[in-house]
Amino acid sequence: MDLINREATRLSQLTTRLLHTSRLDPSQFVLRERAIDARTLIEGVLDECAVQLKSRDVDVSIVPEAAKVRCDPQILNLALVQILDNAAKYGFQDSLVRISADCSRSQAVLRIHNQGSYIPPMERNKVFTRFYRSPSMEHRAPGTGLGLSVAKKAVEAHGGKISIESDVQTGTTFVIAIPASTEKLT
């Protein structure tokens, strides 16, 4: 029963990702952007990823200047959940995951870092391609190669950019930069 339940959940998640990937074509949807507190956004993502993060320590650091993010919380949540899920799957067992939010000029910068994974420079753009799985990682954790494609589309829909910083010794950081908000929180 447990195996059937896990597989049903996995198939449901795959279907959801496929639907979200197709939905993230800018011609097919309208963002419902609003100012949201970065801490509230990150706490929601942490709640959604609680099972994946159960054996991890998570360090959250949010500078006061990054208090507000202009986004469609539901769409940006897709990107953050996927990246956080990958941080848990590909990091060392029981290792620390760091999440930070700060502000650089007129952009909110969110970082998710794990220890233990490494993405070589020639693969850093490829990992955002739909269905791509790194040959060095494809047997390390289950996946479809859809998640980071969805994350990139979600970030770009907000006028943002996603990039990767990766080092063999220190691990991998996904960096998301999206327009900051000067609006009051709603």
Side-chain angles (χ1 to χ4, degrees):
M1 289 299 284
D2 189 41
L3 176 62
I4 292 169
N5 194 23
R6 278 196 317 260
E7 287 302 305
T9 300
R10 188 181 68 77
L11 287 172
S12 174
Q13 290 171 340
L14 174 61
T15 304
T16 300
R17 283 191 189 128
L18 284 169
L19 291 171
H20 286 302
T21 299
S22 67
R23 185 176 155 224
L24 288 175
D25 180 352
S27 66
Q28 296 183 12
F29 75 101
V30 176
L31 287 178
R32 293 183 178 102
E33 290 184 309
R34 63 184 175 92
I36 185 170
D37 180 72
R39 183 168 301 281
T40 301
L41 182 68
I42 290 170
E43 286 173 355
V45 171
L46 288 170
D47 286 345
E48 196 166 329
C49 292
V51 171
Q52 297 93 315
L53 296 170
K54 68 181 173 198
S55 67
R56 309 244 180 233
D57 286 328
V58 178
D59 176 50
V60 177
S61 172
I62 302 172
V63 298
E65 299 81 40
K68 291 183 281 184
V69 178
R70 177 151 190 79
C71 69
D72 180 323
Q74 189 175 18
I75 300 297
L76 189 57
N77 181 283
L78 285 173
L80 297 174
V81 164
Q82 184 55 53
I83 294 167
L84 193 54
D85 179 57
N86 280 6
K89 281 196 301 194
Y90 295 107
F92 287 141
Q93 187 74 21
D94 300 325
S95 64
L96 177 70
V97 173
R98 284 193 180 96
I99 303 168
S100 67
D102 60 26
C103 205
S104 175
R105 296 184 202 111
S106 62
Q107 295 199 315
V109 181
L110 307 170
R111 290 180 173 83
I112 297 176
H113 174 82
N114 74 344
Q115 300 168 332
S117 69
Y118 173 68
I119 301 172
M122 63 277 209
E123 289 190 23
R124 292 184 190 160
N125 285 327
K126 289 180 184 178
V127 298
F128 296 111
T129 304
R130 192 186 282 188
F131 301 116
Y132 179 80
R133 302 263 342 250
S134 171
S136 63
M137 296 290 182
E138 66 184 333
H139 298 295
R140 187 168 170 184
T144 61
L146 285 173
L148 292 178
S149 171
V150 170
K152 182 178 183 187
K153 285 183 178 191
V155 170
E156 289 176 346
H158 287 88
K161 296 203 181 292
I162 185 168
S163 61
I164 299 170
E165 299 167 356
S166 193
D167 180 84
V168 173
Q169 302 299 318
T170 60
T172 298
T173 304
F174 280 80
V175 182
I176 296 172
I178 61 170
S181 178
T182 56
E183 299 173 38
K184 291 185 178 183
L185 297 174
T186 57

